[in-house]
Every structure is written in structure tokens, then in C-alpha cells.
Coordinates of all heavy atoms in Angstrom, one line a residue:
L1 N -125.3 132.3 21.3 CA -125.5 132.4 19.8 C -126.0 133.8 19.5 O -126.9 134.4 20.0 CB -126.6 131.4 19.4 CG -127.1 131.5 17.9 CD1 -126.0 131.0 17.0 CD2 -128.3 130.7 17.6
I2 N -125.2 134.4 18.4 CA -125.6 135.7 17.9 C -126.2 135.6 16.6 O -125.6 135.0 15.7 CB -124.3 136.6 17.8 CG1 -123.5 136.6 19.1 CG2 -124.8 138.0 17.4 CD1 -124.1 137.1 20.4
V3 N -127.5 135.9 16.5 CA -128.2 135.9 15.2 C -128.2 137.3 14.6 O -128.8 138.2 15.1 CB -129.6 135.4 15.4 CG1 -130.3 135.4 14.1 CG2 -129.6 134.0 16.1
V4 N -127.4 137.5 13.6 CA -127.2 138.9 13.1 C -128.2 139.2 11.9 O -128.3 138.6 11.0 CB -125.7 139.0 12.5 CG1 -125.4 140.3 12.0 CG2 -124.7 138.5 13.6
D5 N -128.9 140.2 12.3 CA -129.7 141.0 11.3 C -130.6 140.2 10.4 O -130.6 140.5 9.2 CB -128.8 142.0 10.4 CG -128.1 142.9 11.3 OD1 -128.3 143.0 12.5 OD2 -127.2 143.6 10.7
M6 N -131.3 139.2 10.9 CA -132.2 138.4 10.1 C -133.5 139.2 10.0 O -134.6 138.7 10.4 CB -132.4 137.0 10.7 CG -131.1 136.1 10.7 SD -130.8 135.7 8.9 CE -132.2 134.7 8.3
Q7 N -133.5 140.3 9.3 CA -134.6 141.3 9.2 C -135.2 141.2 7.7 O -134.5 140.8 6.8 CB -134.1 142.6 9.5 CG -133.6 142.9 10.9 CD -132.7 144.0 11.1 OE1 -131.5 143.9 11.0 NE2 -133.4 145.2 11.3
N8 N -136.5 141.6 7.7 CA -137.2 141.5 6.4 C -136.4 142.2 5.2 O -136.3 141.7 4.2 CB -138.6 142.1 6.5 CG -139.4 141.2 7.4 OD1 -139.5 140.0 7.2 ND2 -140.2 141.8 8.4
D9 N -135.9 143.4 5.5 CA -135.3 144.2 4.4 C -134.1 143.4 3.8 O -133.7 143.5 2.6 CB -134.8 145.6 4.8 CG -136.0 146.6 4.7 OD1 -137.0 146.2 4.0 OD2 -135.9 147.7 5.2
F10 N -133.4 142.6 4.7 CA -132.2 141.9 4.2 C -132.5 140.6 3.5 O -131.7 140.0 2.9 CB -131.2 141.7 5.4 CG -130.5 142.8 5.8 CD1 -130.5 143.2 7.2 CD2 -129.7 143.6 5.0 CE1 -129.8 144.3 7.6 CE2 -128.9 144.7 5.4 CZ -129.0 145.0 6.8
I11 N -133.8 140.2 3.8 CA -134.2 138.8 3.3 C -135.0 138.9 2.0 O -134.5 138.5 1.0 CB -134.9 138.1 4.3 CG1 -134.0 137.8 5.6 CG2 -135.4 136.7 3.8 CD1 -134.6 137.3 6.8
D12 N -136.1 139.5 2.1 CA -136.9 139.7 0.8 C -137.4 141.1 0.6 O -138.3 141.4 -0.1 CB -138.1 138.8 0.8 CG -139.0 139.0 2.0 OD1 -138.8 139.9 2.7 OD2 -139.9 138.1 2.1
G13 N -136.7 142.0 1.3 CA -137.2 143.4 1.2 C -136.2 144.3 0.4 O -135.7 143.7 -0.7
S14 N -135.9 145.5 0.7 CA -135.3 146.5 -0.1 C -133.9 146.1 -0.6 O -133.4 146.4 -1.7 CB -135.3 147.9 0.5 OG -134.5 147.8 1.7
I15 N -133.2 145.3 0.2 CA -131.9 144.8 -0.2 C -131.7 143.3 0.0 O -130.7 142.8 0.2 CB -130.7 145.6 0.4 CG1 -130.9 145.6 1.9 CG2 -130.7 147.0 -0.1 CD1 -129.7 146.3 2.7
G16 N -132.8 142.6 -0.2 CA -132.7 141.2 0.0 C -132.2 140.5 -1.1 O -132.0 141.0 -2.2
T17 N -131.8 139.2 -0.9 CA -131.3 138.4 -1.9 C -131.8 136.9 -1.9 O -132.3 136.5 -0.8 CB -129.7 138.2 -1.7 OG1 -129.4 137.6 -0.6 CG2 -129.0 139.7 -1.8
K18 N -131.7 136.2 -2.9 CA -132.2 134.7 -2.9 C -131.3 134.0 -2.0 O -131.8 133.0 -1.3 CB -132.1 134.2 -4.3 CG -130.7 134.0 -4.9 CD -130.8 133.4 -6.2 CE -129.4 133.2 -6.7 NZ -129.2 132.7 -8.0
E19 N -130.1 134.3 -1.7 CA -129.3 133.5 -0.8 C -129.8 133.8 0.6 O -129.7 132.9 1.5 CB -127.8 134.0 -0.9 CG -127.1 133.6 -2.2 CD -127.4 134.4 -3.4 OE1 -127.9 135.6 -3.2 OE2 -127.1 134.0 -4.5
A20 N -130.1 135.1 1.0 CA -130.7 135.4 2.3 C -132.0 134.6 2.6 O -132.2 134.1 3.6 CB -130.9 136.9 2.4
V21 N -132.9 134.5 1.5 CA -134.1 133.8 1.6 C -133.7 132.3 1.9 O -134.4 131.7 2.8 CB -135.0 134.0 0.4 CG1 -136.1 133.0 0.3 CG2 -135.5 135.3 0.2
G22 N -132.7 131.8 1.2 CA -132.3 130.5 1.4 C -131.8 130.1 2.7 O -131.7 128.8 2.9
I23 N -131.4 131.0 3.5 CA -130.8 130.5 4.8 C -131.8 130.6 6.0 O -131.5 130.3 7.2 CB -129.5 131.3 5.2 CG1 -129.8 132.8 5.5 CG2 -128.5 131.0 4.2 CD1 -128.7 133.5 6.2
V24 N -133.0 131.2 5.8 CA -134.0 131.4 6.8 C -134.2 130.1 7.7 O -134.1 130.1 8.9 CB -135.3 132.0 6.4 CG1 -136.4 132.0 7.5 CG2 -135.0 133.4 5.9
D25 N -134.6 129.1 7.1 CA -134.9 127.8 7.8 C -133.7 127.2 8.5 O -133.8 126.7 9.6 CB -135.4 126.8 6.8 CG -136.8 127.1 6.3 OD1 -137.5 127.9 6.9 OD2 -137.3 126.6 5.3
R26 N -132.5 127.4 7.8 CA -131.3 126.9 8.5 C -131.0 127.7 9.8 O -130.6 127.1 10.8 CB -130.1 126.9 7.5 CG -128.8 126.6 8.1 CD -128.7 125.1 8.5 NE -127.4 124.8 9.2 CZ -127.2 124.1 10.2 NH1 -128.3 123.5 10.8 NH2 -126.0 124.0 10.8
V27 N -131.2 129.0 9.7 CA -130.9 129.9 10.9 C -131.9 129.5 11.9 O -131.5 129.3 13.2 CB -131.0 131.4 10.5 CG1 -131.0 132.2 11.9 CG2 -129.9 131.8 9.6
A28 N -133.2 129.3 11.6 CA -134.1 128.8 12.7 C -133.8 127.5 13.2 O -134.0 127.3 14.5 CB -135.5 128.8 12.0
E29 N -133.3 126.6 12.5 CA -132.9 125.3 13.0 C -131.6 125.4 13.9 O -131.6 124.8 15.0 CB -132.4 124.4 11.7 CG -131.9 123.1 12.0 CD -131.4 122.4 10.7 OE1 -132.3 122.2 9.8 OE2 -130.3 122.0 10.6
V30 N -130.7 126.3 13.5 CA -129.6 126.5 14.5 C -130.0 127.1 15.8 O -129.7 126.7 16.9 CB -128.5 127.4 13.8 CG1 -127.4 127.8 14.8 CG2 -127.9 126.7 12.6
M31 N -130.9 128.1 15.7 CA -131.5 128.7 16.9 C -132.1 127.6 17.8 O -132.0 127.6 19.0 CB -132.5 129.8 16.6 CG -131.9 131.0 15.9 SD -133.1 132.3 15.3 CE -133.7 132.9 16.9
D32 N -133.0 126.8 17.1 CA -133.8 125.9 17.8 C -133.0 124.8 18.6 O -133.2 124.5 19.7 CB -134.8 125.1 16.9 CG -135.9 124.4 17.6 OD1 -136.3 124.9 18.7 OD2 -136.3 123.4 17.2
S33 N -131.9 124.4 17.9 CA -131.1 123.4 18.6 C -129.9 123.9 19.5 O -129.2 123.1 20.1 CB -130.5 122.5 17.5 OG -129.5 123.3 16.6
F34 N -129.8 125.2 19.5 CA -128.6 125.8 20.2 C -128.9 125.6 21.7 O -130.0 126.0 22.3 CB -128.5 127.3 20.0 CG -127.2 127.8 20.4 CD1 -126.0 127.5 19.8 CD2 -127.2 128.6 21.7 CE1 -124.8 128.0 20.4 CE2 -126.0 129.1 22.1 CZ -124.7 128.8 21.4
D35 N -127.9 125.2 22.5 CA -128.0 125.0 23.9 C -127.2 126.1 24.6 O -126.0 126.1 24.9 CB -127.4 123.6 24.3 CG -127.5 123.3 25.8 OD1 -128.4 123.9 26.5 OD2 -126.7 122.6 26.3
G36 N -128.0 127.3 24.8 CA -127.4 128.4 25.4 C -128.3 129.6 25.1 O -129.4 129.5 24.7
A37 N -127.8 130.7 25.5 CA -128.5 132.0 25.3 C -128.4 132.4 23.8 O -127.4 132.2 23.1 CB -127.9 133.0 26.2
V38 N -129.4 133.2 23.4 CA -129.6 133.6 22.0 C -129.7 135.2 22.1 O -130.6 135.7 22.8 CB -130.7 133.0 21.3 CG1 -130.8 133.5 19.9 CG2 -130.5 131.5 21.2
I39 N -129.0 135.8 21.2 CA -129.1 137.3 21.0 C -129.3 137.5 19.5 O -128.6 137.1 18.7 CB -127.9 138.1 21.4 CG1 -127.6 137.9 22.9 CG2 -128.0 139.6 21.1 CD1 -126.2 138.5 23.4
C40 N -130.4 138.3 19.2 CA -130.7 138.7 17.9 C -130.4 140.2 17.7 O -130.9 140.9 18.5 CB -132.2 138.4 17.5 SG -132.6 136.7 17.5
T41 N -129.6 140.5 16.7 CA -129.3 141.9 16.5 C -130.3 142.4 15.4 O -130.7 141.6 14.5 CB -127.9 142.2 16.1 OG1 -127.6 141.6 14.8 CG2 -126.9 141.7 17.1
R42 N -130.6 143.7 15.4 CA -131.3 144.2 14.2 C -130.6 145.5 13.8 O -130.4 146.5 14.6 CB -132.7 144.7 14.8 CG -133.7 143.6 15.0 CD -135.0 143.9 15.2 NE -135.2 144.9 16.4 CZ -136.3 145.3 17.0 NH1 -137.4 144.7 16.7 NH2 -136.2 146.1 18.0

């Protein structure tokens, strides 16, 4: 699983959006249930 750029600036920071805020819990849910390795990019 590749978790791409789930960083503060993209979520509620300098270039954040309400849509980005809205997916945080879903991304965490996908990460939690994923059966394999996880890579987060920044």
C-alpha cells in the first residue's frame, strides 16, 4: 500500500482542502485493514 503525501500542508495547511480533510479517516481505515507492507510518501 502506497499512502501518498498525507501531510498537514495538503490537509488543513497552506494548500489544504475540505476534500483532503474529508478522507483522513478513510485513509487510516484502509491502512489499518491492509494486509501487506505500507509505504508513506512525503
